[in-house]
Amino acid sequence: FNKSRNNALLIIIIITNKILTDIDSILRSGLQQILNVEMSDEQWTQASLPVREGGLGFRCVSTLAPSAFLASAAGTNELQLRILPQGVRELPDCHIEPALKCWNELSGAEPPAGPLSFRQRNWDSKCTSKARSDLLTSATDPVDRARLLASQSPHSGDWLHALPITSVGLRLDNETIRIAVGLRLGTKLCEPHTCPCKAQVDSRGLHGLACRSSAGRNIRHNSINDIIWRAMTRAGIHSSKEPTGLTREDGKRPDGASLIPWSKGRCITWDVTVPDTFAVSYLSQTSVLAGAAADRAAELKHNKYTTLERTHIFKPIAVETAGAWNDEGQDFIRDLGRRLTVATGDQKETTYLFQRISIALQRGNSISFSGTFSSPNESSQKPFQTPVQAWGTAK
């Protein structure tokens, strides 16, 4: 009897694994069709990770199923013992051992115990952590390492959580989504070609993110600055963009300043910068530490406005092209979000603010990428390159 039962169990496991693999194949094919990108096995693995782990959140069912089953079995075990009769209660669950073996292969960790085993996330997080670690370990190209590290940093994937509402500028067109996904996963975005600036552009299209001939660089910067200025206004903090009274000796001005005190009787000024994660000057740092380019750019901003800090609170806001933030910039946006919540009563104001900035970043990246195919004069005349305001209609 036991031999027949084990054979039947083996057949069930094989059939189940085949079904799960087929579902994953259909999901992967459909995702490639919808996004118009081709994904390698590594890129599909990344795409199937949660957004907080650097993925797209399209979970792979064959890797998620063991965690779901084991959490369900652990969470309902006590109830089963109460319901089942004595004779059946003592029989071992023959599905637990193969599921646990599969989970061990996916996670390489000790299973959660006690009440922690009742939650699927406690099982699944160990699997996704191993998958994320394996991706980083196998990445030998500095560009891929920088991309993976940036995708796992806080708020880099906020655009994936934003609701596509046109009236508030949160809807991205199909091409912008394709480019945003391609930059996050490292997929092929174009054929190698020559940029109008005469530089060579590879199939990943990263050159456009920092090309000085691209109109997208200014649009990306101005859009983010406009979102912050409008948020200040909504929070009841009167402010101005590029205030004339704070001009340095060389004529440089910060991007904005409050006209009323921010804290301890002092007004606040801010300056936005968008360093390129994949720039040659930053790549040696960003391939080791997420947000290294943003931290360096913020440091340069502090040096630039040293005299201004004697009379004002100065906050550099550095957001890398791959989405990583500097710590000061995040703290400022969180503080501004809390003040928005006080003014509007909406507890999600901070979340929405990060999402609007993330959307503006992806839109600017798309324009910068597209600028590598035509001359700067032709690019500047395209209607979708007009700066998109946070509460305006998306182009």
Side-chain angles (χ1 to χ4, degrees):
F1 172 77
N2 288 335
K3 184 177 181 181
S4 299
R5 187 185 66 174
N6 291 337
N7 290 337
L9 176 61
L10 180 61
I11 294 174
I12 292 173
I13 292 173
I14 293 174
I15 294 176
T16 303
N17 289 341
K18 179 65 168 58
I19 293 174
L20 294 179
T21 302
D22 289 343
I23 293 175
D24 284 337
S25 179
I26 294 172
L27 179 60
R28 177 176 175 176
S29 177
L31 190 61
Q32 291 181 134
Q33 179 72 23
I34 293 171
L35 298 176
N36 193 20
V37 296
E38 183 178 4
M39 291 183 287
S40 65
D41 291 342
E42 292 77 12
Q43 290 161 351
W44 164 240
T45 299
Q46 183 186 351
S48 65
L49 292 175
V51 175
R52 66 178 179 276
E53 302 281 359
L56 300 181
F58 291 90
R59 301 310 311 279
C60 179
V61 295
S62 59
T63 58
L64 185 61
S67 297
F69 173 76
L70 291 169
S72 177
T76 59
N77 184 59
E78 184 178 347
L79 179 61
Q80 293 178 51
L81 294 178
R82 292 179 181 177
I83 296 176
L84 296 176
Q86 182 69 28
V88 179
R89 188 187 310 165
E90 296 175 353
L91 294 175
D93 189 339
C94 55
H95 296 87
I96 295 292
E97 184 176 348
L100 191 56
K101 181 180 179 181
C102 180
W103 182 86
N104 283 330
E105 293 176 354
L106 292 171
S107 67
E110 290 294 323
L116 293 177
S117 64
F118 301 167
R119 295 191 61 191
Q120 177 179 316
R121 182 171 180 176
N122 294 332
W123 293 88
D124 182 47
S125 61
K126 296 180 183 293
C127 296
T128 56
S129 294
K130 184 177 185 298
R132 179 188 63 184
S133 177
D134 290 345
L135 285 173
L136 277 172
T137 302
S138 61
T140 56
D141 184 359
V143 172
D144 285 331
R145 287 191 59 83
R147 173 181 57 78
L148 287 168
L149 288 171
S151 68
Q152 297 162 12
S153 63
H155 304 294
S156 66
D158 282 355
W159 61 277
L160 288 163
H161 294 299
L163 296 175
I165 306 174
T166 303
S167 60
V168 293
L170 296 181
R171 182 182 293 276
L172 295 175
D173 60 70
N174 293 342
E175 179 63 6
T176 300
I177 293 175
R178 183 185 77 87
I179 293 169
V181 168
L183 293 175
R184 190 170 179 84
L185 301 182
T187 63
K188 178 181 178 180
L189 289 176
C190 62
E191 291 296 327
H193 59 280
T194 303
C195 179
C197 73
K198 308 305 180 184
Q200 294 300 310
V201 183
D202 65 11
S203 61
R204 290 177 290 192
L206 300 178
H207 166 74
L209 300 180
C211 178
R212 294 189 176 277
S213 300
S214 172
R217 295 173 69 248
N218 289 332
I219 292 173
R220 187 172 54 200
H221 169 275
N222 293 339
S223 296
I224 294 174
N225 188 46
D226 189 63
I227 290 171
I228 295 171
W229 174 73
R230 287 174 175 269
M232 295 281 283
T233 302
R234 289 187 67 226
I237 304 168
H238 301 288
S239 59
S240 63
K241 289 189 286 187
E242 298 187 358
T244 56
L246 300 180
T247 306
R248 298 194 324 166
E249 293 80 0
D250 58 2
K252 299 291 185 179
R253 293 177 291 179
D255 286 325
S258 66
L259 302 178
I260 58 177
W262 176 268
S263 177
K264 298 180 180 179
R266 301 178 74 184
C267 294
I268 190 170
T269 64
W270 70 87
D271 204 64
V272 176
T273 181
V274 187
D276 182 23
T277 306
F278 311 105
V280 176
S281 56
Y282 289 127
L283 194 56
S284 61
Q285 304 169 54
T286 55
S287 60
V288 176
L289 179 65
D295 291 337
R296 177 56 181 162
E299 181 183 347
L300 293 175
K301 289 293 183 182
H302 273 297
N303 295 336
K304 181 178 179 180
Y305 292 105
T306 302
T307 57
L308 191 60
E309 295 183 352
R310 299 172 186 170
T311 57
H312 291 71
I313 300 172
F314 177 71
K315 294 292 182 180
I317 302 169
V319 190
E320 295 181 16
T321 53
W325 285 68
N326 69 313
D327 292 336
E328 271 189 289
Q330 291 185 63
D331 292 341
F332 171 65
I333 296 300
R334 291 192 191 98
D335 195 359
L336 179 55
R338 287 191 289 268
R339 294 171 188 243
L340 278 168
T341 295
V342 172
T344 66
D346 192 335
Q347 297 298 321
K348 293 187 176 182
E349 286 288 1
T350 302
T351 299
Y352 296 151
L353 185 54
F354 274 113
Q355 288 179 359
R356 286 195 290 270
I357 293 174
S358 185
I359 287 287
L361 178 69
Q362 300 307 323
R363 191 175 284 122
N365 286 345
S366 175
I367 297 172
S368 298
F369 168 81
S370 300
T372 64
F373 298 101
S374 57
S375 67
N377 290 335
E378 291 173 348
S379 299
S380 62
Q381 295 175 5
K382 293 183 180 180
F384 64 84
Q385 290 191 340
T386 303
V388 180
Q389 296 178 343
W391 283 266
T393 301
K395 300 296 183 183

